[in-house]
Amino acid sequence: MSLTSDVRGLRDKALVGLLLLAAWWVASLFFQYWVFPSPPRVLAALSTAISDPAFGSFASNVSVTFGRLLVGFVLSIAIGGVLGTLMGLRTNVEAFFRAWVVFGLSLPAIFVAFSLVIILGITNWVPILTVTLVGIPFVALNMWEGAQDLDSDIGEMSDFFGASRRQQIRHVLMPQLLQYLFPSMYWGFITSWKVLFIAEVFGAGSGVGYMVNYWFNQQRVDMLLGWVVVPILIVILAQEGLRLAE
C-alpha cells in the first residue's frame, strides 16, 4: 500500500468522523442534555473527569485499563498463535483442539467475565484473563487456517538445499504466517478492547469500565461518554498503527 493511498484513506476516515460528529450534534438538539448530551457537554464532562481526583486520576484509570488490555492481548496472540499454528501443521493437535476452539468461540464474553468474578472475585486478573480466554480461540482460528495454506513447495525446496530447522522456521514458516498474524492482531485488538470493557464493568475495581459503570448508576450520560472518549481515540489510533505496520 502506497503512502498516497494511506494518506487518502486517513483523510476519508477523518471526513467520516467529522460527518458523524455533526450528525451527533444535530441529533442532540432533539433531546434533553441528560438523555443525549451534545459534543460540547461531553467535552466538558471529559474535562471534569480529568480534573476531578475523587476516584483516582483520569490518567491512572486509563493507564490501568490499557495495561490490562496489553497483557491480555499479548497473551492471547502468543498462546493463540502457537496453538493455531500447531493445529495447522499437525493433524493430531488439530483433532484434539478443534472442538475446544469452536467451544471457545461460542462463549459470550460476559459469561467468561461473570465466571471469573465468581471464581476469583473482583481482582485485577479478571479483565486480563477475560481478554486472554476470549481472544485465544479467535487468534487460533486465523492462524490455523493460515498454517493450512502454507506453500509446501517452499518447504520441500528448503529441505532440498539443506536448510536447518531454525532456518526453515525463520525464513520459510514465519514470513508466510505473518500475513495471517497481522489481521489477527488488527481485529483481535478491537475485540480485546470490547471484551476488556465488559470485564471491567462487572469484574474490576478500577479502570475505564469501572468508572463508566459508576456513572451509569448515577444516570450521568455525559460523564459516561466523557470517560470513553479518550480510550476510544487511543484504540482507533492503535488499530491504524497495526494496519500500517501490516
Side-chain angles (χ1 to χ4, degrees):
M1 184 177 293
S2 66
L3 180 60
T4 303
S5 60
D6 286 338
V7 172
R8 188 183 301 114
L10 292 175
R11 183 195 62 194
D12 293 342
K13 290 176 182 179
L15 179 60
V16 171
L18 290 175
L19 290 175
L20 291 174
L21 185 63
W24 172 11
W25 203 325
V26 172
S28 68
L29 300 176
F30 298 93
F31 297 90
Q32 297 294 337
Y33 70 89
W34 60 83
V35 176
F36 196 90
S38 64
R41 284 191 175 274
V42 173
L43 289 177
L46 172 61
S47 177
T48 300
I50 293 174
S51 60
D52 185 3
F55 303 95
S57 72
F58 182 85
S60 66
N61 278 288
V62 172
S63 62
V64 164
T65 290
F66 280 95
R68 293 166 177 162
L69 177 61
L70 181 61
V71 173
F73 177 67
V74 169
L75 287 174
S76 66
I77 290 294
I79 299 173
V82 172
L83 176 60
T85 301
L86 290 176
M87 289 176 65
L89 297 177
R90 299 183 179 275
T91 55
N92 58 333
V93 177
E94 176 187 354
F96 181 82
F97 284 105
R98 183 194 301 114
W100 289 108
V101 170
V102 174
F103 175 74
L105 289 170
S106 67
L107 284 178
I110 193 170
F111 171 81
V112 177
F114 279 155
S115 300
L116 289 173
V117 169
I118 293 173
I119 296 171
L120 302 176
I122 306 296
T123 72
N124 198 45
W125 282 103
V126 168
I128 293 175
L129 291 177
T130 301
V131 170
T132 303
L133 294 176
V134 174
I136 286 174
F138 176 83
V139 177
L141 177 63
N142 283 278
M143 298 303 295
W144 174 18
E145 294 176 348
Q148 289 177 320
D149 292 335
L150 293 177
D151 191 340
S152 59
D153 292 339
I154 298 178
E156 293 174 358
M157 187 180 299
S158 65
D159 286 332
F160 178 79
F161 285 103
S164 66
R165 189 64 177 170
R166 181 177 180 180
Q167 289 174 323
Q168 290 182 4
I169 293 175
R170 180 177 180 182
H171 299 290
V172 177
L173 182 63
M174 290 305 298
Q176 295 185 75
L177 289 177
L178 283 176
Q179 61 181 319
Y180 297 95
L181 179 62
F182 272 103
S184 297
M185 295 174 64
Y186 181 77
W187 294 110
F189 189 76
I190 296 298
T191 303
S192 297
W193 157 249
K194 293 187 290 187
V195 168
L196 177 72
F197 188 83
I198 293 173
E200 284 192 339
V201 167
F202 297 104
S206 60
V208 174
Y210 170 78
M211 294 306 303
V212 166
N213 185 48
Y214 172 82
W215 289 113
F216 169 78
N217 292 327
Q218 303 300 315
Q219 298 185 359
R220 288 288 304 276
V221 180
D222 57 337
M223 291 298 298
L224 186 152
L225 293 175
W227 268 92
V228 300
V229 168
V230 172
I232 288 176
L233 290 176
I234 294 175
V235 169
I236 292 173
L237 292 175
Q239 187 189 33
E240 286 300 314
L242 287 173
R243 187 184 65 82
L244 293 174
E246 181 183 0

